Amino acid sequence: MVDDTSQTINLSAPVLEKLEAGSRPFSLLIQKLTGIVGKTGILYNADELLVYECDGYIVDKSAPDIVVFPTTTEQVSATVKICNEFNVPFLARGAGTSLSGGCLPIGGGVMIVLTRMKQILELNLRDRYAIVEPGMVNLHLTNALKGTGYHYAPDPSSQGSCTIGGNIATNSGGPHTLKYGVTTNHVLGLEAVLPDGTIIELGGPTAEVPGYDLHGVYVGNEGTFGICTKAIVRLTRDPEAHRTMLAVFQTIGDATRAISEIIAEGIIPSALEMMDHGIIQAVEEAFHFGFPLDAGAVLLIEVDGLEVAMDAEVSKILELCNKNNVREIQRADTPEERMLIWKSRKQAFGAIGRLSPSYCTQDGVVPRTRLPEILEFIEQTSAKYGLRIVNVFHAGDGNVHPILLFDERDQGQIQLVLEASEEILEKCLELGGSVTGEHGIGVEKINFMSRIFNETDLATMEKVRNIFNPRQICSRDKVLPPHGSGNATKVTQTHPARRAPH
Amino acid sequence: MSPLSSGSQEEFVPASQTELSRFMTENAAVDHRQLFPVGGRTSLAVCCPASQTGIQLCTSQLNRVVDYPIRDLTITVEAGMRIDELIKIVSAEGQRLPLDVPQSNRATIGGVIATNINGPKRFSYGTIRDYVIGISAIDGMGNLFKSGGRVVKNVAGYDLGKMLVGSLGTLAVISQVSLNLRPKPQSMSMVWFQFDSCQTIDQALEAVVTSGTRPIAVEYCNAKAASQIAAEARLELPADHHTLCVCYEGPENEVRWQTDKIASEWNQFSPLHVQTVENEEATRLYDAFTEYQTSSDDPVTIKAILLPSQMMKFIETATQLNIAVQAHAADGIVFGHLPDSASSLDDVQQIFNQLKTTIDPKTGYLNIYQCESDWSDSLPLFCSPPAGWDLMKQFKNALDPEHLLNSQRFNELVEI
């Protein structure tokens, strides 16, 4: 607790379990934070906080006590120092598009929303980098680069709203990662406010820096290493030409074999997205693209590169699809046709809104050749739990996104969703994969960590976390399971406990 | 297995990761000897000066393939696997790890990661950090830990592999690695350009930014280096001036279109000579560029990391100082072999001081890449502190609290 008279920071004091609204520390905290960000940069009324009670993962909810909107690194640092002084937990939030509860303020506290730090600070095409503030919307950077011949390559499906700072926290991927890599492959350096308020720089605009690759360690920390306040990102050359195809297959197995053979041929498509039977029906009902309703799988295949190479690559892909019993192929030869094909993929999630009031998207990964097995298992799980599960995902990476449809007003259904998700992710591990390819561990999958990693692995990760965040005051209870849970073999949490762990 | 004597340093050759872990646990508990992980011993001048006493941990018997699911384009190997062996295994399946490793008949994958070795292809394919999808390593106390996994996309847990890239064996001994692979391209060609001045080279490099072609690599060498590289490749190439050599890969028609296109684009800079090198000759020339950074018998090799736009100023000064210069030019990575005339430490220091005047300390680094062992104790590897050095110290203390792993090199890293 803060000492009102001396304002001494006691860093060994435990982080507050609860900040009582209206209490003296609460009022004093509001006063101090207002002094940093101004009256227009702070929210603390319960009705205003409601929007921040969850992110894209709606299964768990917990509102912060206070939300601040800093506009400079110094304001972030000052805010963090005040939180330490009051022993109040805090965490960063960008656009709140996390699908694993990465922005869930467990135990309340102060949420530092970075959406007002959204400037491009430098664009340098000659040296192929941009320096941006963390609240910059991913797509806005690429839009700002239009006409230069360059873009920012990581493009999560939420790129129209998600922020670069959030992408760094999560090490976000997207449909084009098969060829272009994920966020960590495109971050050259960053500035961050550590959980004690210190401002640090890691990496830099050069192609590498001597010493340990700490910006590489920082990417994917899910907010637990402090708050990224500036990012130096690599810019990628635009491809000269694209060719996009939609291939309709009778079975998932045929589609998967086609993928393996395309890649074995030496062609790395820039995107390989698959939609299964369930999502095809939903998309068709909503948007009438003309997909056959009895198709087992639709594969969106995109290649890019120099115009001179495109026709040969397309011919080869068509040949390999035909060899694997493709039923029909639509080709996009104009930008308009390409947009239409991509619309069917990008609007898939919108179509789900017509099917059910709520949905939960999972993020398992399997070796690409094991896709038929995991999809068959998902179908069995759907039948077992009586839950509708549809799939639209990054097939080239083996990154499946089973979408579990439910009604969040029904507690029984929520429990079924949790159990079905658990079984699917467990199967991903059994097939040699991972429980998250791009959404992060967050709060959602924290109990899986002790099944993926042994105690030594987790202890090493904890050592690294403690270098950055020794008090665990920043984005608490994320990524690493709390002590004593290392031997847990089963998820025992139920929804109410997950709602309010503190 | 008991330590074997090998010159001034003893050697321990574990047969398994578990044995290595056990040995390191005992060392931390009882002997407190300095440990120096070594793979193919190609970078000992960087990693492990001979003057130090302790035990070399040799990974030569940790050389097995653990898992190679061919159609998934991933492979898991032990860290002591030699690069040429790895190339042979994946090449048989039409695949490759798209990195350039000098002395690949000796270098190991663990060593490549620990020293962050890379070469010309980094411009288009990135570096080893982009291909490690999972890693196991043993910290200074003997704890065997892992992060990542065996699938190409995975964000479960912190990415501990990154901290080991370029760590020079100062944090942990890398014991096993899972790698992402790529298909092999059909063909490769290079175009050798000679230009009259550094200014013209700079203009041509600036034009690469908007070139209609997509080079795999853009290599620069000054006249001194060019003649050595051409000789190594056994090719008759003009080498009297500044050289830019651009590399293309892919289907033959695409490569040919690009080699013609770059020649026409750079015509405006009035090259003194343009020559396309194809097939076997292209492979030999490419290999000569890959090997050059470590091929010198000269006493000291330097490495500068610069913004590409600031690179030619540095190169011009280095050339005036009679340094043989090669650069991965589009990435701003410069290697320079100091001349024989730099025969004393004072000479080397003087050259360093002159080179430093051309570097903006905020966006450039000048390091020792290789040097004669007699001098290695007197020349710090790192000439200016990298960003985050305070945190690096904390990483060292967390992973190797007794400072048993190659600690002199670590001290140079953070205490300049």
Side-chain angles (χ1 to χ4, degrees), chain A residues 177 182 362-371 374-375 378 393-402 421 424-440 445 452, chain B residues 72 74 133 149-156:
Chain A
T177 59
V182 294
Q362 281 303 337
D363 180 37
V365 189
V366 292
R368 189 176 49 238
T369 51
R370 313 300 291 271
L371 279 173
I374 190 66
L375 289 165
I378 290 169
F393 58 97
H394 313 308
D397 305 310
N399 186 190
V400 292
H401 287 321
S421 296
I424 292 168
L425 295 179
E426 190 72 60
K427 186 71 177 177
C428 289
L429 290 179
E430 189 190 315
L431 292 173
S434 170
V435 297
T436 176
E438 54 186 6
H439 295 176
K445 293 180 280 282
I452 306 169
Chain B
D72 290 322
T74 63
I133 55 176
R150 295 185 190 179
V151 281
V152 296
K153 209 169 167 191
N154 184 4
V155 295

Side-chain angles (χ1 to χ4, degrees), chain A residues 211-212, chain B residues 377 379-386 388-394 396-397 403 407-416:
Chain A
Y212 307 150
Chain B
D377 289 326
L379 286 172
L381 280 185
F382 305 103
C383 302
S384 57
W389 68 286
D390 217 25
L391 278 174
M392 288 181 197
K393 219 183 262 191
Q394 294 184 51
K396 176 71 174 172
N397 290 335
H403 285 220
S407 292
Q408 183 180 326
R409 277 302 179 230
F410 168 76
N411 290 338
E412 287 177 8
L413 177 65
V414 298
E415 288 170 7
I416 295 153

Side-chain angles (χ1 to χ4, degrees), chain B residues 121 247 279:
Chain B
K121 268 197 288 290
C247 176
N279 306 320

Side-chain angles (χ1 to χ4, degrees), chain A residues 78-303:
Chain A
T79 300
V80 166
K81 284 178 178 164
I82 292 292
C83 289
N84 273 281
E85 194 178 309
F86 281 73
N87 302 313
V88 170
F90 60 90
L91 87 171
R93 174 177 160 125
T97 55
S98 167
L99 291 167
S100 62
C103 310
L104 189 74
I106 294 173
V110 174
M111 180 178 273
I112 299 171
V113 178
L114 296 155
T115 48
R116 292 185 190 173
M117 292 176 68
K118 57 181 178 183
Q119 303 299 313
I120 295 176
L121 303 174
E122 185 183 351
L123 285 182
N124 185 330
L125 296 183
R126 172 70 199 273
D127 297 321
R128 291 193 297 152
Y129 71 83
I131 305 181
V132 301
E133 291 185 327
M136 174 104 212
V137 170
N138 175 301
L139 185 62
H140 293 181
L141 175 56
T142 285
N143 284 345
L145 287 161
K146 273 197 175 138
T148 65
Y150 282 79
H151 67 288
Y152 178 57
D155 62 340
S157 296
S158 57
Q159 72 172 147
S161 48
C162 66
T163 63
I164 303 265
N167 295 166
I168 286 176
T170 319
N171 191 15
S172 305
H176 290 94
T177 59
L178 178 63
K179 182 168 182 179
Y180 292 102
V182 294
T183 298
T184 193
N185 308 117
H186 298 271
V187 174
L188 292 165
L190 51 91
E191 175 192 83
V193 172
L194 291 181
D196 67 357
T198 312
I199 300 168
I200 56 154
E201 289 181 354
L202 301 174
T206 46
E208 62 184 57
V209 295
Y212 307 150
D213 185 349
L214 294 190
H215 61 285
V217 178
Y218 192 93
V219 174
N221 73 73
E222 301 197 31
T224 59
F225 291 177
I227 299 171
C228 173
T229 47
K230 209 181 274 179
I232 309 174
V233 296
R234 190 189 291 290
L235 302 178
T236 302
R237 198 70 208 279
D238 292 344
E240 185 189 38
H242 296 92
R243 293 288 188 279
T244 311
M245 289 150 272
L246 260 187
V248 180
F249 290 88
Q250 194 62 35
T251 67
I252 299 264
D254 284 342
T256 308
R257 272 188 297 279
I259 291 170
S260 285
E261 289 183 17
I262 289 166
I263 293 174
E265 192 60 34
I267 299 170
I268 300 277
S270 54
L272 267 172
E273 299 286 292
M274 200 188 290
M275 291 184 271
D276 80 345
H277 178 70
I279 198 83
I280 293 166
Q281 287 192 320
V283 168
E284 196 50 33
E285 281 166 28
F287 302 112
H288 311 295
F289 287 106
F291 297 146
L293 292 176
D294 60 339
V298 167
L299 201 56
L300 187 160
I301 308 167
E302 185 163 279
V303 287

